[in-house]
Amino acid sequence: MRDHLTRIAIIIGMVAIVFTLTKLMSPPEMDAEALAQESADPIAIMAETADAAINYAPAYAALNPYQTAMTQSANAQFDPSDDYWGLPRTPGHEETAAYCAACHTLQIVMQQQQTSEGWDYLLDWMVTKQGMAEPPADTRALIHGYLSREFGTDASPE
């Protein structure tokens, strides 16, 4: 009888543990408005600001076995042998390299081609959703201006 009660207590304890772990690992519940804003805003903003043309040529240039290394580096924007990986040397390139390359390659930055609003959204998104360190306001403005000027699609970049 005692063994039977011990087994029941162990089973009840295991069920409680599984239930608690399931609750801890499930995403927090959100109201319908917050859920709609969370899921719709990034897609809508990216759709409005994105340039629909995708240029795969620079990304696949390194895969061409018939192209020499000299030709590749002369035609490619992204240059891994360069200290700043091919970023144009205008004001803001060092700050942009420091903040962006902390998490990913600068090739991703160089191929984005966003509007000024798109770069603004992406900088906010990187801080709030991806864990990028929040740059001081003047540094953020410098990075935003650099990205809009060098990799923007606006007719009159900042």
Side-chain angles (χ1 to χ4, degrees):
M1 176 78 172
R2 189 172 181 183
D3 288 336
H4 187 64
L5 290 176
T6 304
R7 287 182 186 162
I8 291 174
I10 290 173
I11 291 171
I12 291 172
M14 291 174 76
V15 168
I17 290 171
V18 168
F19 178 76
T20 304
L21 288 174
T22 304
K23 286 297 250 179
L24 288 174
M25 297 186 76
S26 65
E29 293 182 20
M30 302 173 81
D31 62 351
E33 183 179 327
L35 186 59
Q37 183 178 9
E38 174 93 9
S39 63
D41 283 352
I43 295 168
I45 291 171
M46 295 295 273
E48 290 172 9
T49 61
D51 181 9
I54 300 173
N55 182 6
Y56 292 107
Y60 292 112
L63 299 175
N64 185 350
Y66 301 109
Q67 191 172 16
T68 65
M70 183 67 108
T71 308
Q72 285 177 357
S73 62
N75 293 334
Q77 279 187 317
F78 180 74
D79 183 5
S81 65
D82 177 47
D83 287 342
Y84 293 99
W85 299 354
L87 285 178
R89 301 303 199 280
T90 60
H93 76 278
E94 292 176 330
E95 293 80 2
T96 300
Y99 277 91
C100 297
C103 297
H104 53 72
T105 70
L106 294 176
Q107 185 174 17
I108 275 181
V109 175
M110 296 164 76
Q111 70 187 16
Q112 288 301 306
Q113 302 296 313
Q114 294 289 322
T115 63
S116 181
E117 293 81 19
W119 283 119
D120 190 47
Y121 171 78
L122 282 175
L123 286 171
D124 288 341
W125 181 74
M126 287 292 171
V127 170
T128 59
K129 301 287 185 187
Q130 301 301 314
M132 182 177 92
E134 174 99 40
D138 58 335
T139 304
R140 187 189 190 287
L142 187 64
I143 292 170
H144 180 262
Y146 177 82
L147 293 171
S148 296
R149 182 179 60 252
E150 299 298 335
F151 306 107
T153 60
D154 293 343
S156 57
E158 293 177 17

